[in-house]
Amino acid sequence: MAATGSPRPATIEARGWGWRYATRRAWALRDTSFRIEAGERVLLLGASGSGKSTLLQGMAGVLGGADEGEQHGQLLVDGDAATATRGRTGLVLQDPDSQTILARVGDDIAFGCENLGVPRPEIWARVREARDAVGLDVPLDRSTSALSGGQKQRLALAGVVAMRPGAVLLDEPTANLDPAGVVDVRDAVARALDATGATLVVIEHRIEAWLPLVTRVIVVGAGGVVADGDPRTVLEQRGPELAAAGVWVPGIRPPFPPLPPAVGDTATRRDALVSGERLVVGRVAGAPVAGPLDVEVRRGEVLGIVGANGAGKSTLGLTLAGLIPALGGAVRAAPALAEGAALTPRARRRARRGANAAASPDDPATWTSTALLTRIGTVLQEPEHQILRPTVREELEVGPRALGLAEAEIASRVDELLERLRLAALAPANPYTLSGGEKRRLTVAATLAARPRVVVLDEPTYGQDARTWSELVAIIAALRDGIDDRGPLGVAAITHDGAVLEALAARRFELRTPAPPTETWK
């Protein structure tokens, strides 16, 4: 690709193509054939686990060699094997962390351009243009580790936009963005395509925002392409069939679980399981991102933590879950929840010195990991950050084994969760070969296996098709209402998905975005 100017748009073709990961018996995708002409704008649909992400990675030529998997057929970019045309396509993955390479925002956006040999003066003009185009409102010298999940997604997109590839490949680029951010990113992509004429292939489960931009829909399944045509024809003629398979189809809403019985405000307030009082949160000492806040996670209720990207939602969730300490104020667990919790050695030393007034058994940040395991479970925004074992089954066994449960009890819990979250067929698979939606269900299941009494979920429905979305919502509702002898649990859900909060009758707690810092890049 030329270092400057607009590249010619790329043509992409699959000829009976399929891929099977080396650690899996089943094919991720097979017998897939289509041709995407230069400059087309394609929306790639399919149920969770249908092979969409694998196909996109194949187009980008990043699936690896024979040691990583087996390929049938051909996948071509401009008539050559996709693996031989890297640089002609720009890929934004489901997990933006996997594409964050350098420590500062500006350097990370510039990385791809530097590898393409773009002259330095042009690089920095492209960097600023790409950052502004995707709405990443942070200084170029901001640490990439300080970005929220949604901001990291914009960062990855900015790096691709700056490269000006012949084809832009996007794997759920707006999954972690607030509603305004979804439109901003969609419009940024549209501007980039208008300027360069690049081909577009985008995967999204929630497709309404992308329909004005795309000219074609391709739906894939286990047997290859199951539908292909202009968006209106495919969605109107095949809508009910696709929705039954799990594809999100505008106008066809998945079933909601029944709403809970009303609970009086006074009774609810008496039953707060975890509360924050004048709480100030942040991931770095001296750098608060939100607060002071008064917030409660109550038994038998879902607390919906909402707000724009960068407002501190995930940081608040981690603080309430006891995974990072508060910068100010206090987090307190109800006496019944804190009873028997042990302080960490560090917290015990602090308490003896009187250096930390919050170092007491009712502060979850002072508990041991085992104490947290059965009390407050957390599902992180990035599934890869909490995957520990080489198979799906072993991953679900981590919590129960840490608790010293009997083998029969471990097997019972794991088998039940595998079935409920449609992971049974994947029990022997390596978790890293799962789709984004499957990884999300795995981390939810692994958290539930320890049977905590409070659950903090960060983007719980991320990457889900309509069917698995309904199943996850039903499980969260069951936790809220009580699914065993523990009775109703407390649930905090950090999400941009308004439908999930509506379905769960969640009490919304909104965080406001702080003013952006001043640009200091030189």
Side-chain angles (χ1 to χ4, degrees), residues 401-423:
R401 289 198 185 284
L403 298 174
L405 300 181
E407 289 296 324
E409 175 63 17
I410 292 174
S412 175
R413 291 190 185 189
V414 168
D415 288 343
E416 177 188 359
L417 288 166
L418 287 171
E419 290 296 333
R420 290 199 66 182
L421 286 169
R422 292 177 49 230
L423 295 170

Side-chain angles (χ1 to χ4, degrees), residues 98-251:
S98 63
Q99 290 185 255
T100 303
I101 300 168
L102 298 177
R104 299 190 299 183
V105 165
D107 294 334
D108 199 77
I109 297 173
F111 182 78
C113 293
E114 289 172 342
N115 279 278
L116 293 174
V118 178
R120 181 176 177 80
E122 184 179 344
I123 287 177
W124 295 105
R126 289 193 189 189
V127 165
R128 288 186 172 86
E129 178 183 315
R131 178 198 60 173
D132 295 343
V134 303
L136 181 59
D137 193 13
V138 300
L140 292 177
D141 62 353
R142 170 70 63 86
S143 169
T144 54
S145 64
L147 300 180
S148 70
Q151 289 171 324
K152 288 178 182 177
Q153 222 160 5
R154 295 178 197 242
L155 175 67
L157 179 59
V160 166
V161 169
M163 291 167 58
R164 300 178 183 171
V168 176
L169 312 176
L170 307 178
D171 195 347
E172 298 201 53
T174 62
N176 285 334
L177 299 182
D178 56 72
V182 170
V183 175
D184 288 345
V185 168
R186 190 273 318 276
D187 290 347
V189 171
R191 288 193 296 272
L193 297 177
D194 289 341
T196 65
T199 304
L200 171 70
V201 183
V202 57
I203 296 172
E204 277 287 4
H205 280 297
R206 303 302 184 88
I207 67 178
E208 291 91 338
W210 293 90
L211 289 178
L213 181 60
V214 299
T215 57
R216 179 179 174 188
V217 167
I218 297 176
V219 185
V220 296
V225 174
V226 298
D228 185 356
D230 71 87
R232 181 171 181 176
T233 300
V234 170
L235 295 175
E236 286 186 357
Q237 295 183 359
R238 306 285 295 277
E241 173 192 346
L242 296 175
V247 175
W248 286 96
V249 177

Side-chain angles (χ1 to χ4, degrees), residues 49 164 176 179 255 264 273 287 352 494 503 515:
R164 300 178 183 171
N176 285 334
L273 294 175
R352 282 197 299 270
I494 301 157

Side-chain angles (χ1 to χ4, degrees), residues 281 289-291 293 305-308 311-314 316 509-513:
V281 300
V289 297
L293 308 167
I305 300 175
V306 300
K313 301 184 300 300
S314 295
L316 173 59
F509 184 84
E510 184 171 2
L511 292 182
R512 303 291 182 180
T513 307

